[in-house]
Amino acid sequence: MSPVRPVTTIFLFMLAYLFSYIDRQILSLLIGPIQSDLLITDTQFAFLNGLAFSLLYAILGFPLASLSDRYPRPPIIAGGVILWSLATMACGLSHSFWSLFLCRVLVGLGEATLAPAAYSFLADSVPKEKLSGTLAIFFLGSFLGSGCAFLFGGPLLHIVQQHNFAGMHAWQICFIIVGFPGLLLGGIIAKLVHEVPHRKSIVKPVSAQKTIAFFRMHPAFFSLHMLSYTLLAVTLFSLFSWMPAQMMRIHHFSHADLGITLGSIVIICGCAGVYTSGRLIDILSACGIWYAPQLVAAFAALCATAPLVISVTTSNTHLAVAAFAVAFYFASFPMPPSATVLQIAVPTTMRARFSAAMLFCNAIGGLSGGSLLIGTLNDHFFHSPLAIGTSMAIVSGTASFLGALLLFASIPSYKLLCSTANTKVSYTSDLPTNSMKTSRI
């Protein structure tokens, strides 16, 4: 039995998610000095911020998730926290584009261990009717982490720039400083958090073939689910990745002012949005609205589209900040429903792998694809760093609108999936697919 209460475990996992977003998001705030010192373009920065991170994060997410379905999850999470923290600190030792690229790849590898294992662990730890709210608390870490990266990253950079650290650049020192706390947290998780007791009764998890077979039982829903949330990930990650550059280039924010402005918005609006989303889903589901996750996420995506476009195209600084706050509030809504549906609809021995598939789509399409497309449009179509807002409006605005439409389109197939929710399928053997036994719960 775990020596800590479930609420403490949730807090530790949320804190790990917080550190993961600080470590990945600090790069966006440091775009100016990094580009100046390493002489890299917007496209190369997009590779660092997107592809480098998502490369192993996406590809190795599947085998790491398989481990989470088979073995105790807390040690896997703790090991990942320590790995990405060391890799973040190693970013501070980089002196070229490719060395920084490699370190970012290792950051992604470490962070790939967290979400699938944490989703699955929390789904086994709380009642289904409280799962959306619980996952919303976990997701708070992403916005608290990103907000802290913005809020404290600017002042930290300013302080470091006032000193000479053996010839190292200020941005390198920032990476070393923000990576260190994760080492301590990894050790705490390894020491305090243990596997849930009933999980130890699982003797033989299902094979990859059975996982694929379950996907093929409901191809319409899972395809629409993953594609729609990938598009919404394009919207959210584009705001994370490129809004600092937009504010500095167009509205001439200093690093300190940018950190305070974006940090406050990300923490307040992001946390409020993700928590509201989780609570709305729990409330609507309790009222019998079985498609609550799709309804909440689609409505929010539509509400985010117009203020997003306004925030990145207006020349009025006050309007840009206000519109960004509204857009970010609604853009954060899809995080709880995207994970909640998979934890409820997918058998427990497959949850981590389905979560990894969702994260693969988000990382490759949302983080890497969206960020790279914006950078490429800027460098090779508009040929101007000042066109960053137009590039963001085209990519992010379109993705948000299309994502909402696909979510509405997924409701009929989700109804079909819900209609089989009262049937329990035995996936604990390696029998052929057509021999799987079903029994009523």
Side-chain angles (χ1 to χ4, degrees):
M1 181 174 294
S2 174
V4 295
R5 299 170 56 194
V7 66
T8 305
T9 300
I10 295 171
F11 173 76
L12 289 174
F13 286 176
M14 185 270 285
L15 201 58
Y17 213 36
L18 184 155
F19 284 159
S20 77
Y21 266 79
I22 289 178
D23 290 356
R24 76 170 72 174
Q25 199 61 39
I26 192 69
L27 182 69
S28 297
L29 189 64
L30 301 176
I31 178 174
I34 291 176
Q35 285 188 311
S36 176
D37 292 333
L38 300 185
L39 303 178
I40 61 176
T41 65
D42 278 355
T43 302
Q44 287 177 306
F45 175 77
F47 275 113
L48 289 174
N49 205 38
L51 182 63
F53 174 84
S54 64
L55 193 61
L56 291 187
Y57 181 89
I59 296 173
L60 293 185
F62 292 103
L64 290 172
S66 181
L67 290 177
S68 296
D69 282 333
R70 295 171 181 266
Y71 300 105
R73 293 162 288 193
I76 295 174
I77 293 174
V81 173
I82 293 172
L83 175 58
W84 87 57
S85 300
L86 289 172
T88 299
M89 296 176 72
C91 289
L93 304 178
S94 302
H95 292 88
S96 69
F97 168 79
W98 286 111
S99 61
L100 186 55
F101 185 95
L102 176 60
C103 291
R104 291 287 292 176
V105 168
L106 293 177
V107 171
L109 172 60
E111 294 194 19
T113 65
L114 176 59
Y119 294 168
S120 178
F121 188 98
L122 294 176
D124 286 338
S125 304
V126 300
K128 183 175 70 173
E129 60 271 17
K130 296 182 179 180
L131 181 57
S132 291
T134 299
L135 288 174
I137 294 174
F138 173 71
F139 285 128
L140 289 178
S142 64
F143 299 103
L144 289 172
S146 298
C148 287
F150 289 136
L151 198 59
F152 302 113
L156 175 63
L157 179 64
H158 177 73
I159 292 172
V160 172
Q161 285 175 333
Q162 308 306 311
H163 301 82
N164 182 17
F165 293 88
M168 296 182 69
H169 296 296
W171 61 266
Q172 293 176 308
I173 302 299
C174 289
F175 275 118
I176 294 174
I177 292 174
V178 301
F180 179 74
L183 300 179
L184 302 178
L185 179 63
I188 293 172
I189 293 175
K191 180 68 175 178
L192 297 183
V193 183
H194 300 283
E195 190 57 80
V196 292
H198 65 82
R199 172 67 182 270
K200 298 176 182 178
S201 64
I202 297 176
V203 177
K204 189 177 181 182
V206 301
S207 63
Q209 289 78 9
K210 292 293 178 62
T211 304
I212 296 172
F214 185 77
F215 180 95
R216 295 176 66 180
M217 290 172 62
H218 305 280
F221 169 73
F222 285 119
S223 297
L224 287 172
H225 179 85
M226 293 186 181
L227 180 57
S228 60
Y229 282 109
T230 297
L231 288 170
L232 299 187
V234 168
T235 301
L236 183 60
F237 287 132
S238 295
L239 293 176
F240 272 136
S241 300
W242 287 107
M243 203 62 187
Q246 161 72 7
M247 289 296 188
M248 285 188 288
R249 295 175 185 178
I250 305 302
H251 301 286
H252 309 293
F253 275 65
S254 66
H255 280 93
D257 291 339
L258 177 69
I260 294 173
T261 302
L262 293 190
S264 300
I265 290 175
V266 169
I267 290 176
I268 296 172
C269 297
C271 290
V274 75
Y275 184 76
T276 303
S277 174
R279 291 294 296 151
L280 274 177
I281 294 170
D282 283 343
I283 293 170
L284 294 176
S285 297
C287 295
I289 302 177
W290 48 267
Y291 55 93
Q294 287 77 15
L295 183 63
V296 170
F299 174 77
L302 290 177
C303 290
T305 303
L308 187 156
V309 173
I310 293 172
S311 69
V312 296
T313 55
T314 182
S315 58
N316 185 307
T317 300
H318 296 294
L319 178 59
V321 171
F324 173 65
V326 175
F328 202 86
Y329 172 74
F330 286 111
S332 68
F333 269 55
M335 294 189 77
S338 68
T340 299
V341 169
L342 294 182
Q343 304 313 305
I344 292 176
V346 177
T348 182
T349 51
M350 302 179 183
R351 286 174 182 162
R353 277 172 282 186
F354 268 84
S355 296
M358 183 77 258
L359 292 170
F360 175 89
C361 295
N362 285 349
I364 295 298
L367 175 58
S368 180
S371 181
L372 183 60
L373 183 56
I374 290 173
T376 301
L377 280 175
N378 230 36
D379 283 339
H380 302 292
F381 186 81
F382 295 112
H383 304 288
S384 171
L386 299 181
I388 185 65
T390 304
S391 300
M392 291 178 66
I394 293 172
V395 175
S396 303
T398 302
S400 183
F401 183 75
L402 290 180
L405 296 183
L406 291 179
L407 279 171
F408 283 123
S410 73
I411 291 178
S413 58
Y414 184 59
K415 182 178 182 180
L416 178 62
L417 182 60
C418 288
S419 69
T420 63
N422 291 327
T423 300
K424 183 179 180 181
V425 183
S426 174
Y427 290 96
T428 58
S429 69
D430 281 325
L431 295 173
T433 303
N434 58 8
S435 299
M436 290 188 292
K437 299 178 181 180
T438 61
S439 61
R440 291 291 172 183
I441 294 178

